[in-house]
Amino acid sequence: MTGKGWTFQSLIDAKMTVTAFCHHAPCNHSQKLDLAKLRDRFGPDAPAMADDIIPKLKCAKCGGRKVGTIYTPDTSPNAYGKAKGS
Ligand SMILES: [Zn+2]
């Protein structure tokens, strides 16, 4: 996923999920980011790489700022499924 400059809009278009994790040991809170909301707030072209997002994040549970992110592609099953017979 490196070498590509994500923006909030491109994450949404690519159906990516960004999950933020709190690194404070007793907390370990994780939360999916609301990309549509972030796009509305920062603009569709705002950079949305980990280095860009992390400074904006704060753990909703403990307020800690040691937060990491994981970018996950959409893996929901789709209509392609299995090829029929042969
Ligand atoms: Zn936390």
Side-chain angles (χ1 to χ4, degrees):
M1 221 52 70
T2 47
K4 185 172 179 187
W6 290 109
T7 64
F8 289 113
Q9 188 62 56
S10 66
L11 286 170
I12 291 166
D13 290 346
K15 295 185 167 38
M16 292 287 287
T17 299
V18 182
T19 307
F21 285 90
C22 178
H23 286 181
H24 284 277
C27 178
N28 292 318
H29 182 62
S30 71
Q31 188 175 10
K32 274 187 195 174
L33 299 184
D34 188 338
L35 294 172
K37 209 165 164 182
L38 290 167
R39 176 196 58 194
D40 290 349
R41 184 144 149 215
F42 297 108
D45 297 327
M49 303 294 283
D51 287 350
D52 303 303
I53 291 182
I54 287 171
K56 302 187 202 310
L57 295 177
K58 203 168 73 169
C59 174
K61 200 169 160 192
C62 74
R65 302 204 61 113
K66 268 170 75 179
V67 176
T69 52
I70 293 186
Y71 290 62
T72 316
D74 178 26
T75 51
S76 57
N78 59 30
Y80 290 107
K82 303 156 190 162
K84 268 187 196 168
S86 53

